[in-house]
Amino acid sequence: MEGKDSYLPGGDEGTVAARLARTASVREGLQAFHEGRYADAVMILREAYLRDTRDPGTKIFYGMALIPLGEYEMAEKAIRRGIEGSSASADWLVEVPRLYGNPRDYDQHKLLLRHRTDRADPLPAAFLLAYLMAAEGNGAEAARYLDLLGQRGGPAGERLRAWIAARKPQ
């Protein structure tokens, strides 16, 4: 059953992200994000992140909130840390399109990121696009952005690659 928080990763109540979503500050930050109040979401999620820097879900959500503000380098670092700090993809693959209350905002943010991959250092934008495409279930496009990164994808890039490979039809 799809509820109002269906964008949260891992439907299992035991996942890190599910536990985080039950906290008032993270829920408030996600609600602000969903309503398009991106600056508020960053502020709220940053405070939640600083309260407990060990939780991978908070890092992912904080990174997601930075994307609409154009803070790509910070967003990339936060999402990388979330992926590398989690034990399972259920903790870090957010239903990104549903997280956005306005689908046009999401399309616009992806477009801006795509334009950034044409720059001299496409690393942050390419990594963020790889994450977004993987979260959407578009493994082929995620792999294309990971290929653009090459070895600079690091451990988080390798985790995304493994996740994509495990879901390819044989």
Side-chain angles (χ1 to χ4, degrees), residues 39-118:
D40 291 342
V42 166
M43 182 181 67
I44 295 164
L45 292 168
R46 181 178 182 275
E47 287 184 23
Y49 170 71
L50 292 175
R51 268 195 295 278
D52 189 352
T53 59
R54 295 170 294 153
D55 285 319
T58 300
K59 294 172 189 171
I60 298 291
F61 295 141
Y62 176 60
M64 287 299 305
L66 289 164
I67 292 172
L69 301 182
E71 298 289 345
Y72 303 131
E73 289 80 10
M74 288 176 57
E76 177 215 4
K77 287 177 186 173
I79 291 173
R80 275 183 187 276
R81 289 178 182 144
I83 291 171
E84 292 168 4
S86 69
S87 60
S89 63
D91 291 339
W92 50 263
L93 280 173
V94 178
E95 290 288 337
V96 177
R98 291 185 185 148
L99 181 59
Y100 278 85
N102 181 348
R104 287 180 298 217
D105 281 358
Y106 180 52
D107 292 340
Q108 180 66 24
H109 296 150
K110 285 192 301 187
L111 183 63
L112 291 170
L113 284 168
R114 284 185 176 108
H115 287 302
R116 298 274 305 196
T117 62
D118 295 333

Side-chain angles (χ1 to χ4, degrees), residues 116-134:
R116 298 274 305 196
T117 62
D118 295 333
R119 302 224 172 152
D121 183 17
L123 178 66
F127 181 83
L128 292 170
L129 282 165
Y131 172 80
L132 294 175
M133 296 301 100

